[in-house]
């Protein structure tokens, strides 16, 4: 049930003993206070605290969408539609304001009817209210309890989205649609609510796959079991019930255990450093986790072993490829040999799961410009390479930035010699769709880095270092592009030849 966070003092007036004081009527989250000595009344929203001034009235009775009252110094019974600001009161008839011993009129209202004792005849009159007629018996949403985030964790403790919706009457049917950032419906729940309550639990799966990280919206609709209309607000407004759900990708490149993406880098002396992400786009002070990386190519390769922890690939000067497994506590384990002959590649990229089998894969570009895909085995090894085509030596930067489009498939960013940044969308079957331009001017940056979601909104972001050493973040919008950049770190980031 939706209630105020704390008791509220409703605005009224001190009328004194010589007048009738303040008369209060409450319906749902609204309350009318009618000071009997004043020339106006007040409409309160007891949840938000908003106050609206109404005409003077006596003996108010709040109803569905309006208020019925006696005109001051009169026997006229009036009705005012509260759903329209500035609405003109409607006269219903005459009421005897002195019809009971406690000097109050015989007057009552319900969802859609008003009943009163007529002044002239003394008979009870029952009439429909002149407002809210189309929603008289429609069900109302009493309250909503829905989590705003979910951590879909394929290899760790699985998060769960829990939502509760309570209504004023049973629902014959209800439907909740979940839409991704592009507006496409990716998940639908339906059912009935014979007792006026809806309960939902979701583990973050879309069929057999985990939901990609990003911003989702849900929309709830429903209709009464007795056929009396669609689900509405407590005040009768015909609005859609919506909310936001941020799904955080459980595959985030977190070397620790806080489920926040971290940044790695090597300095000129071969030291290996870790910057723990804060989850809001910045990083904590660096911590050294290794040394002796001088002359080596170090690549963040994702979870190659299937233990839920990101691993590193390291190529030495002789072309031997090594794997260093993450410990899950911020460090890395001793190296394990993966294979030889890797000195023939000009770029090695940990590309994520390109084939949809749940295992991290690796891309490698050779000197001729051909791109090769090495599928991960899930146990730390790589399968025989598969060609993805030629012409890749036209790019000065190749960055695996995660799922930029919100479809659950990892994408690839490339920058050409003119500084144009383009995106290759993953198909989920080991290849990429034709590239799409993202924007120009990216040759102003000396390094582009993709480590996933650094801002905590569920969408993959991009880091870029400029010539003076400032590290910028470009937050992903979940639709393949980026929003306004912001500084993730100022200072001497140019002291680190590689960031990954």
């Amino acid at each position: 049930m939706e209630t105020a966070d704390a008791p509220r003092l409703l605005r009224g007036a001190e009328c004194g003993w010589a007048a009738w004081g303040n008369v209060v009527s409450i319906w749902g989250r609204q309350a009318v206070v009618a000071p009997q000595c004043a020339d106006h009344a007040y409409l309160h929203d007891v949840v938000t605290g908003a106050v609206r001034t109404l005409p003077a009235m006596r003996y108010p009775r709040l109803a569905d969408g309006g208020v019925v009252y006696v005109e001051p110094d009169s026997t006229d019974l009036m009705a005012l539609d509260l759903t329209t600001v500035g609405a003109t009161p409607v006269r219903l008839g005459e009421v005897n304001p002195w019809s009971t011993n406690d000097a109050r009129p015989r007057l009552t209202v319900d969802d859609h009817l008003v009943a009163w004792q007529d002044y002239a005849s003394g008979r009870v009159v029952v009439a429909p209210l002149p407002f809210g007629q189309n929603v008289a018996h429609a069900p109302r949403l009493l309250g909503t309890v829905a989590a705003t985030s979910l951590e879909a964790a394929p290899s760790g403790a699985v998060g769960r989205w829990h939502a509760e919706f309570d209504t004023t009457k049973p629902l014959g049917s209800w439907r909740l649609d979940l839409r991704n950032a592009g507006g496409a419906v990716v998940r639908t729940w339906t059912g009935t609510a014979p007792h006026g309550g809806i309960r939902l639990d979701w583990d973050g799966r879309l069929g057999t796959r985990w939901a990609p990280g990003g911003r989702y919206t849900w929309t709830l609709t429903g209709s009464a079991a007795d056929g009396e209309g669609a689900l509405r607000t407590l005040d009768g407004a015909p609005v859609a019930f919506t909310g936001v759900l941020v799904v955080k990708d459980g595959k985030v490149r977190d070397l620790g255990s806080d489920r926040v993406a971290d940044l790695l880098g090597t300095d000129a002396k071969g030291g290996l450093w870790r910057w723990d992400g804060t989850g809001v786009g910045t990083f904590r002070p660096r911590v050294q986790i290794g040394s002796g990386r001088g002359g080596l190519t170090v690549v963040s390769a994702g979870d190659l072993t299937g233990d839920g922890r990101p691993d590193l690939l390291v190529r030495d000067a002789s072309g031997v490829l090594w794997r260093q497994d993450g410990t899950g506590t911020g460090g890395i384990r001793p190296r394990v040999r993966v294979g030889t002959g890797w000195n023939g590649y000009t770029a090695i990229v940990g590309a994520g799961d390109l084939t949809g089998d749940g295992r991290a894969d690796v891309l490698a570009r050779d000197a001729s410009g051909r791109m090769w895909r090495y599928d991960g085995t899930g146990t730390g090894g790589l399968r025989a390479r598969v060609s993805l085509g030629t012409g890749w030596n036209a790019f000065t930067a190749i960055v695996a930035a995660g799922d930029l489009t919100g479809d659950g498939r990892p994408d690839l960013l490339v920058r050409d010699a003119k500084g144009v940044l383009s995106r290759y969308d993953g198909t989920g079957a080991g290849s990429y769709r034709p590239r799409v331009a993202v924007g120009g001017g990216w040759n102003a940056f000396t390094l582009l880095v993709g480590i996933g979601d650094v801002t905590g909104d569920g969408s993959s972001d991009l880091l870029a270092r400029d010539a003076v050493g400032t590290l910028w973040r470009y937050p992903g919008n979940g639709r393949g592009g980026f929003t306004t950049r912001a500084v993730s770190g100022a200072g001497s980031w140019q002291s680190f030849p590689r960031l990954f």
Side-chain angles (χ1 to χ4, degrees), residues 116-450:
W116 73 93
Q117 185 179 32
D118 180 65
Y119 179 69
S121 66
R123 301 179 66 178
V124 174
V125 180
V126 179
L129 291 167
F131 43 73
Q133 289 304 289
N134 294 328
V135 297
H137 289 272
R140 306 293 197 275
L141 186 67
L142 285 171
T144 300
V145 178
T148 57
S149 65
L150 165 71
E151 184 176 292
S155 54
V158 177
R160 184 171 296 276
W161 182 59
H162 179 73
E164 298 182 5
F165 307 94
D166 292 315
T167 61
T168 57
K169 62 191 308 183
L171 300 181
S173 65
W174 59 265
R175 175 188 176 110
L176 190 141
D177 290 323
L178 186 69
R179 289 177 169 83
N180 62 18
V185 176
V186 296
R187 182 76 159 84
T188 296
W189 294 265
T190 60
T192 61
H195 303 293
I198 301 171
R199 302 292 184 268
L200 281 178
D201 283 290
W202 181 47
D203 63 2
R205 289 183 183 272
L206 298 177
T208 60
R209 297 174 61 91
W210 294 96
R215 181 184 175 92
Y216 294 75
T217 57
W218 55 261
T219 303
L220 175 68
T221 57
S223 59
D226 57 10
E228 289 289 349
L231 185 63
R232 293 173 176 257
T233 67
L234 255 183
D235 302 328
V239 300
F241 299 100
T242 63
V244 174
L245 172 62
V246 174
V247 174
K248 299 181 179 181
D249 190 351
K251 296 179 181 177
V252 65
R253 213 281 300 280
D254 172 32
L255 291 170
S257 57
D258 60 0
R259 313 304 296 176
V260 177
D262 303 323
L263 180 65
L264 293 177
T266 54
D267 62 26
K269 296 180 179 180
L272 180 64
W273 299 85
R274 186 190 77 238
W275 289 264
D276 293 338
T278 61
V280 293
T282 56
F283 298 94
R284 296 187 171 88
R286 63 180 180 169
V287 176
Q288 187 166 7
I289 61 172
S291 60
R293 263 60 179 183
L296 304 180
T297 300
V298 185
V299 177
S300 177
D303 177 21
L304 293 171
T305 60
D307 62 358
R309 300 163 182 151
D311 309 314
L312 300 181
L313 287 176
V314 181
R315 181 185 62 186
D316 64 23
S318 65
V320 177
L321 189 68
W322 304 85
R323 188 190 77 240
Q324 290 195 277
D325 300 338
T327 63
T329 57
I332 51 175
R333 302 187 190 281
R335 65 183 186 175
V336 177
R337 186 180 174 121
V338 176
T340 60
W342 285 77
N343 49 2
Y345 295 115
T346 60
I348 301 173
V349 180
D353 177 18
L354 295 175
T355 59
D357 63 358
R359 303 174 180 125
D361 307 315
V362 176
L363 295 177
R365 181 186 64 186
D366 65 23
S368 70
R370 183 175 293 276
M371 185 71 80
W372 300 90
R373 188 190 79 233
Y374 286 85
D375 298 341
T377 63
T379 57
L382 299 172
R383 302 188 190 281
R385 67 182 185 175
V386 177
S387 174
L388 293 184
T390 61
W392 291 84
N393 51 5
F395 303 118
T396 61
I398 301 175
V399 181
D403 174 24
L404 295 169
T405 59
D407 63 358
R409 304 176 180 116
D411 308 313
L412 197 66
L413 290 174
V414 295
R415 181 185 62 189
D416 64 22
K418 295 181 180 179
V420 175
L421 188 71
S422 299
R423 188 188 73 245
Y424 283 94
D425 296 339
T427 63
S431 60
Y432 293 99
R433 294 187 172 88
R435 64 176 172 169
V436 178
V438 176
W442 290 84
N443 50 6
F445 299 108
T446 59
L447 192 64
L448 301 178
V449 186

Side-chain angles (χ1 to χ4, degrees), residues 18 23 25 93 95 121 124 191 232 268 329 334 367 372 402 462 482 487:
V23 177
S25 178
V95 64
S121 66
V124 174
R232 293 173 176 257
T329 57
W372 300 90
L462 181 66
F482 301 99
V487 174

